[in-house]
Amino acid sequence: MSNRDIQNTKAVFKREFLAYFNSPVLYVIVVIFLLAAMGFPFFFSRILDSEDVSLTERFFVWHPWIYTVLAPAVGMRLWSEEHRLGTIELLLTMPVSPWQAILGKFFAASCVWLIGLTLTFPIVWTVCYLGYPDMGPIMSGYIASYLYALACLALTSAISAITRSQVVCFIVSVAFCIVIALIGDPGVTHTIVSTTPDWAAGFVRFVSYFSFMDHFFELTKGIFVFRDVFYFLSVIIVTLIITNLALRAKRA
Amino acid sequence: MIQVKNLIKVFGTKVAVDDVSFSVEKGEVLGFLGPNGAGKSTTMRMVTGYFRPTSGSVSLCGINMLEEPEQAKQRLGYLPENAPLYSDMTVASFLGFCAELRGLHGADRTRAIDRVLDLCFLDSVRNQSVDTLSKGYRHRTCFAQSIIHDPDVLILDEPTDGLDPNQKHEVRGMIKRMGQNKAIIFSTHILEEVEAACSRAIIIDRGKVVADGTPESLKKLVPGAKSLDEVFRSITKPDTAHKHAA
Ligand SMILES: Nc1ncnc2c1ncn2[C@@H]1O[C@H](COP(=O)(O)OP(=O)(O)O)[C@@H](O)[C@H]1O
Ligand SMILES: [Mg+2]
């Protein structure tokens, strides 16, 4: 990595990050995220009525579904907006490599989620006040949750590179996030396996291995498994590579 | 300084640019003329490295655009068609962002911003959001971006499009002045502009170069033509030509 790589990535990052704060969309999304992330544990999981002070089953369990809707809402502007405004022509004729731009934008969106997730700290306070929770699972739960959000963001980035419409990008990304969450659901896998011929069952199980869910729950259990971290990192890297290919195809 | 050889661009089955070659030296202003859809923007997008040519080569200041895009782009300033801008930024922050991507930081960056704000008469809107600017100011902001690093090569796609007569005159004057120590290409379909600002002109029609020379020599191409306008009309075919023929 050269000095120029860092400077260019930083310049794109800074522009993108400030753009989030200049638009009302960000504040709306963070508020909805906080209401959902903090509200669900209290109203649906009855966190206050229980003796158990671990957060895994009551707090983190909601996150994949929240990210399925909200991560695409944050990521949809990344490239769609550049296509719509025509600024992509400006950006890509600057002495900037596509990777510097892709990473700068992705880091900016990642920082937005870091802020959102950090603002959920009152829930940690609450359980610490109620009892003596094990901090290990809380830490790994946060890491799992953040990785899940980043994977959804990287997926949205790839789709936004293809379309100039933020609405199309949002809908398609949400659909992808739902599918990739559901394919690992034991119920869903079981149903599909029982309706497919034997020779295909192995394939279905193989596909279900690619679900975000399994890896997410392994991580939240508090066993910090390198394999699952590696899984999320590879999803992020692959979808960013797809972003690059999509951008190149667009200017073919 | 700009060397373009045998550029071809095919979209699907449509040949948008068909074997275009030309070169522009330092101190030259090349006018790019042609009817709508002739392939002017597509050619410029290949010269600036935005589109990858189907075949052919582009080099700027001796640097091949396809082999070393980042180095070649460093020498280049570009005003795309319709002057795109990031709508969530102010004029100064937009120019600051472009300066950073050009490798200007700290005091150099501030100096570069001040210089182009002054050159393009943007001082009064310095901290205004680009979203609220009038068309002329938007255009000048994007133009300012293209000269912020004082590039050797300047490529302007319809730089006077949508400006009022005073602004047009101002931009032409600026192009002519900067043309003294840069290589400039600009596209237009206003013919008087070519005579006012260019040292050479290329007429392009349906992707092909149909004439190349000084504005004076182009006039001699068609016997009896008194203005560039008549030359243009007789060597390029209007969109409606085939309908009349039918
Ligand atoms: N991205 C693209 N995909 C398909 N066709 C294109 C694309 N860009 C331009 N064209 C076609 O190429 C031709 C030349 O367009 P353009 O270079 O924009 O013309 P000009 O700038 O001279 O008006 C047009 O027929 C246009 O429809
Ligand atoms: Mg054009």
Side-chain angles (χ1 to χ4, degrees):
Chain A
M1 247 196 340
S2 71
N3 205 15
R4 198 58 204 264
D5 280 333
I6 296 170
Q7 281 175 342
N8 283 345
T9 310
K10 208 173 101 188
V12 174
F13 168 83
K14 200 173 78 181
R15 197 212 81 74
E16 208 64 35
F17 192 64
L18 292 178
Y20 275 117
F21 285 87
N22 282 335
S23 103
V25 178
L26 172 79
Y27 301 97
V28 173
I29 292 171
V30 169
V31 168
I32 293 176
F33 172 68
L34 291 178
L35 286 178
M38 317 268 263
F40 290 172
F42 286 100
F43 295 108
F44 297 119
S45 302
R46 313 299 268 147
I47 199 168
L48 295 178
D49 302 348
S50 152
E51 295 285 300
D52 181 9
V53 289
S54 93
L55 285 176
T56 311
E57 296 292 317
R58 308 198 159 63
F59 175 61
F60 293 120
V61 72
W62 298 105
H63 287 196
W65 300 110
I66 299 174
Y67 293 145
T68 294
V69 177
L70 292 187
V74 169
M76 65 186 182
R77 68 181 299 288
L78 287 178
W79 292 101
S80 301
E81 188 72 353
E82 297 268 355
H83 285 307
R84 193 179 64 82
L85 294 172
T87 45
I88 184 136
E89 204 170 330
L90 217 49
L91 185 62
L92 296 180
T93 53
M94 296 271 180
V96 175
S97 77
W99 273 111
Q100 293 161 357
I102 290 169
L103 288 178
K105 279 171 178 280
F106 179 68
F107 290 153
S110 311
C111 265
V112 167
W113 272 126
L114 194 59
I115 293 170
L117 208 51
T118 309
L119 289 176
T120 60
F121 69 90
I123 202 114
V124 181
W125 269 357
T126 310
V127 286
C128 286
Y129 178 78
L130 292 175
Y132 299 94
D134 191 353
M135 281 325 254
I138 293 183
M139 283 308 294
S140 61
Y142 268 106
I143 289 170
S145 169
Y146 193 49
L147 284 172
Y148 198 107
L150 295 190
C152 291
L153 274 177
L155 189 81
T156 311
S157 155
I159 290 160
S160 79
I162 302 168
T163 171
R164 54 187 283 143
S165 158
Q166 292 197 28
V167 177
V168 170
C169 174
F170 177 75
I171 293 169
V172 175
S173 304
V174 169
F176 266 96
C177 289
I178 290 176
V179 169
I180 208 151
L182 280 184
I183 53 176
D185 186 79
V188 174
T189 312
H190 185 78
T191 317
I192 297 177
V193 166
S194 63
T195 55
T196 47
D198 282 346
W199 56 267
F203 178 72
V204 173
R205 289 217 175 78
F206 175 75
V207 169
S208 77
Y209 180 75
F210 287 96
S211 167
F212 286 5
M213 255 352 162
D214 270 350
H215 299 276
F216 176 74
F217 282 114
E218 284 301 312
L219 270 178
T220 51
K221 276 181 204 151
I223 337 150
F224 190 79
V225 193
F226 183 72
R227 197 193 57 189
D228 299 311
V229 175
F230 183 75
Y231 166 80
F232 279 111
L233 292 181
S234 20
V235 168
I236 292 165
I237 291 166
V238 168
T239 41
L240 290 182
I241 289 172
I242 294 173
T243 309
N244 189 22
L245 295 177
L247 286 176
R248 197 181 303 172
K250 264 266 172 188
R251 0 177 236 153
Chain B
M1 280 218 249
I2 307 173
Q3 293 277 349
V4 170
K5 283 204 196 91
N6 306 107
L7 269 193
I8 297 179
K9 182 73 191 176
V10 181
F11 292 112
T13 56
K14 186 183 167 61
V15 183
V17 174
D18 191 357
D19 201 16
V20 167
S21 304
F22 59 86
S23 66
V24 187
E25 296 309 317
K26 183 174 173 150
E28 264 191 309
V29 178
L30 177 71
F32 230 57
L33 279 168
N36 279 323
K40 303 182 296 291
S41 300
T42 306
T43 306
M44 292 185 152
R45 285 176 176 150
M46 289 191 283
V47 174
T48 55
Y50 179 66
F51 278 166
R52 175 168 274 274
T54 307
S55 73
S57 74
V58 174
S59 79
L60 304 181
C61 308
I63 306 167
N64 190 314
M65 177 57 86
L66 295 169
E67 284 158 15
E68 298 176 275
E70 267 106 79
Q71 273 90 324
K73 286 172 184 171
Q74 184 63 39
R75 310 298 184 92
L76 165 88
Y78 176 40
L79 170 66
E81 203 170 13
N82 303 324
L85 296 170
Y86 290 104
S87 54
D88 48 50
M89 300 180 100
T90 66
V91 172
S93 64
F94 171 73
L95 294 174
F97 170 63
C98 296
E100 279 171 31
L101 291 183
R102 296 294 186 181
L104 297 166
H105 297 274
D108 289 342
R109 176 178 177 270
T110 318
R111 220 174 301 125
I113 297 172
D114 287 340
R115 186 180 68 90
V116 294
L117 283 175
D118 191 45
L119 260 178
C120 302
F121 309 99
L122 290 165
D123 266 319
S124 58
V125 293
R126 189 184 184 110
N127 293 315
Q128 196 171 324
S129 160
V130 298
D131 226 11
T132 60
L133 293 178
S134 67
K135 175 133 191 186
Y137 277 98
R138 288 180 60 93
H139 227 88
R140 269 185 278 161
T141 305
C142 201
F143 185 67
Q145 159 281 132
S146 70
I147 55 171
I148 198 158
H149 54 307
D150 198 15
D152 296 328
V153 173
L154 198 52
I155 295 177
L156 310 166
D157 200 348
E158 304 198 6
T160 58
D161 181 47
L163 301 185
D164 69 32
N166 289 336
Q167 294 166 332
K168 279 192 169 117
H169 182 77
E170 198 59 56
V171 168
R172 268 175 230 156
M174 216 166 357
I175 291 173
K176 201 165 183 182
R177 249 176 290 134
M178 288 189 304
Q180 284 158 9
N181 52 11
K182 294 183 197 307
I184 301 183
I185 305 180
F186 80 92
S187 73
T188 179
H189 36 237
I190 305 170
L191 294 150
E192 56 193 82
E193 213 149 71
V194 175
E195 287 175 283
C198 296
S199 54
R200 225 176 89 214
I202 282 180
I203 301 180
I204 171 169
D205 186 31
R206 300 176 191 194
K208 285 196 166 72
V209 175
V210 291
D212 181 350
T214 62
E216 291 312 308
S217 73
L218 290 184
K219 273 190 211 165
K220 300 203 184 82
L221 274 181
V222 178
K226 282 181 218 66
S227 68
L228 213 47
D229 212 59
E230 284 177 45
V231 178
F232 184 83
R233 274 206 308 268
S234 66
I235 62 179
T236 65
K237 299 171 194 70
D239 285 347
T240 48
H242 60 281
K243 278 189 203 151
H244 289 301

